[in-house]
Amino acid sequence: MIWEIQILVLVMLIGCAVAAITIKDLLGASIVFGIYSFMMCLLWLSMGAVDVAFTEATIGAGISSALIFAAVFRTTRRTKD
């Protein structure tokens, strides 16, 4: 992969990590976390680790995001921050 694309993916990955930490809304943070997992998948793919990228895509972006969404929808909002 071209190094400019790798740097772009890395910058977007860091941006997603910072956004996931700073967002106060649980649903928004879980969406950003899913995007973070997808960016990690692209980063692993750019390094040539196809098996790790496939595992990250299925477990990280797929199953973990679905479980986080289910947990968010089962919680209630107590304050109006």
Side-chain angles (χ1 to χ4, degrees), residues 13-65:
L13 182 73
I14 293 170
C16 285
V18 170
I21 292 171
T22 58
I23 291 178
K24 292 189 181 210
D25 185 36
L26 290 177
L27 184 61
S30 61
I31 289 171
V32 173
F33 178 70
I35 295 169
Y36 175 84
S37 293
F38 181 70
M39 288 295 151
M40 277 301 298
C41 175
L42 290 178
L43 195 62
W44 286 120
L45 191 64
S46 71
M47 287 189 239
V50 180
D51 54 343
V52 179
F54 181 72
T55 304
E56 179 70 32
T58 56
I59 294 173
I63 296 171
S64 295
S65 295

